[in-house]
Amino acid sequence: MPIVKYPRATEPLWHEWDRKAQKCGLRHTVYAVNGDQYTGEWLDNLKHGKGTQVWKCTGAIYSGDWKFGKRDGYGSYSIPDPVTKEYKKVYTGWWKNDQKCGYGVTFYAGRKRYEGEWSGGLRSGWGRMYYPDGSIYEGQWLENKPNGQGMLRLPNENRYEGGWKGGKKHGPGKFFYLDKGQLFEGIWAADIPKCGILIDFGRDEAPAPTQYPIPKVIAWNFVLVC
């Protein structure tokens, strides 16, 4: 019986076209249907490596590291000023899985600035926040709020050092009234001092001391407040 040789099955032509269209390694510029633009490196048809993304609807730009289609690594995110149209940085730092993660600096409206750690796109860890009125908070954060141990310094140099919870003073802490030359040391709950001791602290050199000094008791000047 003669042996019949059938022609070897060939790969569909569209497979070859698709393989040629794959973007891998080299830099390419690709425009999305909605007008977004990406210029950078690719891997298996995904943004991977160094690249720049421009969002058409907001004009925002991200330039930095990518990993399998998501911002991952070090990069900066900028938006155009609504008046001047000039670009201003919003965030510069580390990213993971398309969210701020690790150390980074964020610039907010009204001259607010945060420098510190992030997790899952939220301020978490150690960080320093600069407020428009000149106040500075430096310490621990959890999910965008001061939480743990931290110090808040006010524009007049008065400061609080101690515990925080959910963005409010909570637990043992000290409040230095440098303008009056006094120190309050006690316990706070939800921003309210519940119990503590008020001590004259360099009152004679203070720029605005209280009218009456705290009377001396043994070796300390204090008033018990509960």
Side-chain angles (χ1 to χ4, degrees):
M1 182 176 180
I3 298 175
V4 179
K5 293 184 178 180
Y6 294 95
R8 193 173 71 178
T10 58
E11 186 181 52
L13 188 59
W14 67 268
H15 278 190
E16 183 181 354
W17 292 341
D18 188 57
R19 189 165 51 248
K20 289 181 178 178
Q22 288 285 322
K23 298 174 284 296
C24 187
L26 300 177
R27 292 180 64 85
H28 296 273
T29 297
V30 174
Y31 295 88
V33 176
N34 62 3
D36 294 350
Q37 174 187 340
Y38 172 80
T39 301
E41 299 172 328
W42 298 78
L43 179 65
D44 296 334
N45 247 13
L46 296 171
K47 303 163 192 170
H48 192 89
K50 301 288 185 182
T52 300
Q53 169 89 20
V54 181
W55 287 270
K56 181 176 177 58
C57 105
T58 62
I61 293 179
Y62 169 80
S63 182
D65 297 326
W66 297 78
K67 188 174 181 181
F68 300 116
K70 295 182 178 180
R71 290 169 288 187
D72 200 300
Y74 189 85
S76 62
Y77 179 79
S78 304
I79 61 173
D81 186 277
V83 178
T84 66
K85 305 303 179 184
E86 295 182 358
Y87 275 91
K88 57 182 182 180
K89 285 187 178 179
V90 174
Y91 175 78
T92 299
W94 293 92
W95 301 72
K96 187 174 181 62
N97 198 29
D98 227 25
Q99 294 182 320
K100 302 169 190 172
C101 188
Y103 184 85
V105 180
T106 293
F107 300 89
Y108 300 90
R111 297 183 295 114
K112 278 202 310 186
R113 183 172 88 252
Y114 172 80
E115 303 172 353
E117 297 176 319
W118 297 78
S119 180
L122 302 175
R123 290 167 286 181
S124 291
W126 178 92
R128 184 187 295 119
M129 186 79 182
Y130 297 85
Y131 297 93
D133 65 355
S135 300
I136 301 174
Y137 171 81
E138 181 174 357
Q140 295 174 306
W141 293 75
L142 180 64
E143 296 180 348
N144 273 344
K145 295 180 179 180
N147 201 93
Q149 292 297 306
M151 179 186 73
L152 175 66
R153 187 167 72 240
L154 303 177
N156 61 3
E157 297 300 324
N158 290 351
R159 70 180 186 272
Y160 169 81
E161 299 177 3
W164 295 79
K165 185 177 181 181
K168 297 181 179 180
K169 304 178 194 71
H170 194 89
K174 298 178 182 179
F175 202 109
F176 295 84
Y177 296 92
L178 298 184
D179 58 338
K180 300 183 181 302
Q182 293 181 325
L183 164 65
F184 178 83
E185 184 172 0
I187 305 294
W188 270 259
D191 253 356
I192 300 173
K194 295 295 185 179
C195 183
I197 298 173
L198 186 64
I199 306 167
D200 274 343
F201 180 77
R203 181 179 179 278
D204 294 338
E205 294 80 26
T210 53
Q211 183 177 0
Y212 302 105
I214 298 173
K216 292 184 178 181
V217 177
I218 309 176
W220 292 91
N221 296 337
F222 71 90
V223 169
L224 182 64
V225 179
C226 286

